[in-house]
Amino acid sequence: MGARVTRGNGLTRADRGLDNPHESRRTTLPVLLTVDEAADLLRTTRRALYAMIERRQLPGVIRVRRRVLLRADDLLDWLDQKRAPSPKE
């Protein structure tokens, strides 16, 4: 589970001129994530992720034979919907 999710070239968000942290992640994530990459992104375990997939709690799940992939955009949109508003909002 030590694989890094981002595929940047060492540049920070400011270097790329991106102010929105979600936008920078979307530009560095692959379109489809493996279970390991999705677990790393959600900061959970593979086992917990497979349990969420089995209970149909995650969007963007794609099965290709025995392989399970997750659409990065669907997962990030789902995360945005789940977040609690900050006191400033």
Side-chain angles (χ1 to χ4, degrees), residues 5 10 13 20 24 31 33 36 45 49 55 62 83 86:
V5 174
R13 285 186 302 129
N20 184 348
S24 67
V31 174
L33 301 174
D36 284 333
T45 63
L49 199 68
R55 291 189 300 256
I62 300 169
R83 74 177 176 93
S86 66

Side-chain angles (χ1 to χ4, degrees), residues 57-75:
Q57 293 177 325
L58 292 177
V61 176
I62 300 169
R63 287 181 164 77
V64 180
R65 296 185 184 173
R66 292 189 57 173
R67 187 170 190 167
V68 177
L69 300 169
L70 294 102
R71 288 184 41 86
D73 286 342
D74 291 345
L75 201 56

Side-chain angles (χ1 to χ4, degrees), residues 71-89:
R71 288 184 41 86
D73 286 342
D74 291 345
L75 201 56
L76 291 174
D77 288 340
W78 176 78
L79 278 175
D80 282 341
Q81 292 172 4
K82 294 290 184 186
R83 74 177 176 93
S86 66
K88 294 179 184 178
E89 292 183 64

